[in-house]
Amino acid sequence: NNSLTGDQVRVRYFDGTLKTLTMSDKSETPTQGVAYKITGSDDNAKLESLTKDKEYNGYKAIVVAKKTSGNVTADPSNSKIGETKVDDNAVIILYTENGRSKIITGKQFNALNTRDADLGSKESYAVFAKKSNGLNRVQMAAIKVSKTDVSGNSSDNYAYIVSSAYENNGDLHYTIWNGSENIDVVEKNNTTTSDRQKGVLIGYSNIDSDKVITDVTDYSTVSNAYAVPSSN
């Protein structure tokens, strides 16, 4: 985009790291959405094309390039990318034409539904597979979307709000109990304080190092409950 010079490229690694690299004279000119082998330093990086069906660090590259036709389609309704099932623990990079990107889990991808129809082309030019419990599964992939604020409500984690939310600079701040400890979290511009009151049970995908909680699902207020053995 306009923030990059002609010899720079913006990349997101599958561990979540986001970098701007300056390419060396030996580097290939990259295509958006395609994965590359990267060597050298950040200011002298060499990008090399991958080989289809070759293993890299134990992951088999089953899709390595953008095709002129017949690109592999991401199909969350069937938990597949192409013909391969997506593992719940997979790392999925969502990216847009204008360079925005984010990472979701395979479980979140598999939870996407018809409400997330704005997945853009749903094309994937980078797919890596590895066996999980004896079954071949997608473990890493990149998918082109029209916007990145889509993610399945997989609720990888659950928590109980123990301190009602207050707003500061448009963000919500509240305290949760995750089953072992209290955590002060920040939720970005997604709802109002009335939806994050003490006593609400929530599901969420992640809390990052800045205490930002993502993909929050409201399971409503938890009220008093009584055990009645006679009615099981």
Side-chain angles (χ1 to χ4, degrees):
N1 59 31
N2 293 335
S3 66
L4 302 177
T5 64
D7 59 352
Q8 290 183 316
V9 60
R10 190 76 165 158
V11 299
R12 184 180 286 280
Y13 293 83
F14 282 105
D15 67 359
T17 304
L18 192 63
K19 285 186 176 182
T20 297
L21 305 178
T22 300
M23 294 177 286
S24 71
D25 291 339
K26 297 180 179 180
S27 178
E28 295 184 28
T29 300
T31 299
Q32 189 187 47
V34 175
Y36 294 87
K37 178 182 178 181
I38 301 175
T39 55
S41 62
D42 290 356
D43 58 0
N44 192 40
K46 179 182 178 182
L47 279 68
E48 301 175 72
S49 292
L50 305 182
T51 302
K52 189 177 185 303
D53 295 331
K54 182 178 178 179
E55 285 196 1
Y56 297 89
N57 297 324
Y59 296 87
K60 186 176 181 180
I62 59 177
V63 180
V64 297
K66 183 177 181 179
K67 302 177 184 179
T68 55
S69 63
N71 285 301
V72 173
T73 300
D75 182 11
S77 62
N78 290 307
S79 303
K80 288 182 176 182
I81 299 179
E83 297 301 316
T84 308
K85 287 279 190 179
V86 176
D87 192 85
D88 278 352
N89 295 317
V91 176
I92 307 295
I93 295 175
L94 304 180
Y95 71 93
T96 67
E97 187 74 33
N98 64 4
R100 292 184 179 275
S101 65
K102 69 178 285 188
I103 280 181
I104 64 173
T105 65
K107 188 175 182 181
Q108 288 174 291
F109 170 81
N110 292 335
L112 292 172
N113 54 42
T114 52
R115 289 178 300 173
D116 304 298
D118 55 355
L119 272 176
S121 64
K122 296 186 288 188
E123 292 177 331
S124 185
Y125 317 139
V127 184
F128 298 84
K130 187 177 183 179
K131 284 192 174 181
S132 175
N133 297 321
L135 300 172
N136 195 49
R137 292 287 185 263
V138 172
Q139 301 292 348
M140 297 185 294
I143 301 170
K144 185 178 180 179
V145 296
S146 57
K147 61 181 183 178
T148 59
D149 62 349
V150 293
S151 58
N153 293 324
S154 59
S155 294
D156 298 301
N157 306 283
Y158 295 92
Y160 180 72
I161 298 179
V162 295
S163 177
S164 296
Y166 66 89
E167 186 175 340
N168 184 20
N169 293 327
D171 299 332
L172 298 185
H173 298 252
Y174 52 94
T175 305
I176 62 172
W177 167 258
N178 68 355
S180 59
E181 62 178 335
N182 282 339
I183 306 175
D184 296 324
V185 297
V186 180
E187 187 175 353
K188 297 287 187 179
N189 305 315
N190 290 326
T191 187
T192 63
T193 55
S194 61
D195 293 323
R196 299 290 183 261
Q197 294 297 299
K198 179 179 179 179
V200 170
L201 177 68
I202 60 171
Y204 63 96
S205 64
N206 185 52
I207 298 174
D208 67 17
S209 58
D210 294 322
K211 302 301 182 183
V212 175
I213 189 169
T214 53
D215 300 317
V216 179
T217 300
D218 183 346
Y219 289 102
S220 75
T221 302
V222 180
S223 59
N224 291 330
Y226 299 92
V228 185
S230 61
S231 61
N232 296 318

